[in-house]
Amino acid sequence: MTILEIALASQIWARRHEKRQPEFNESDGLKILQRTAFAFVAFTLLIAGLNLAAGRPQMLADHPAPVVAGR
């Protein structure tokens, strides 16, 4: 068999044995949203826990921002 025949036979075999992807349902979108929210919350809690364990809680500002004097 030539390379072209082998490639064609391989393509036909793959098409016959491929599994179709199920269609997207509305409930799938909700599952994706819930998993994303859970991952975000878990990651946020992990970072906060690591900061507390290191003894330096996350602060927005350690000291007030300097006021820019007039020119």
Side-chain angles (χ1 to χ4, degrees):
M1 290 173 61
T2 66
I3 294 177
L4 182 59
E5 290 172 331
I6 294 171
L8 187 59
S10 176
Q11 183 70 19
I12 291 171
W13 184 87
R15 291 235 175 181
R16 286 185 182 167
H17 291 87
E18 77 180 20
K19 294 182 180 179
R20 304 267 183 218
Q21 291 289 334
E23 292 186 17
F24 182 78
N25 296 329
E26 290 181 14
S27 62
D28 293 340
L30 183 58
K31 287 179 187 176
I32 292 170
L33 184 62
Q34 287 175 341
R35 289 178 184 172
T36 304
F38 177 78
F40 178 77
V41 169
F43 185 72
T44 302
L45 291 175
L46 174 69
I47 296 299
L50 290 173
N51 281 334
L52 286 175
R56 52 185 179 98
Q58 190 71 28
M59 296 289 181
L60 290 177
D62 292 334
H63 48 80
V67 178
V68 177
R71 295 180 192 164

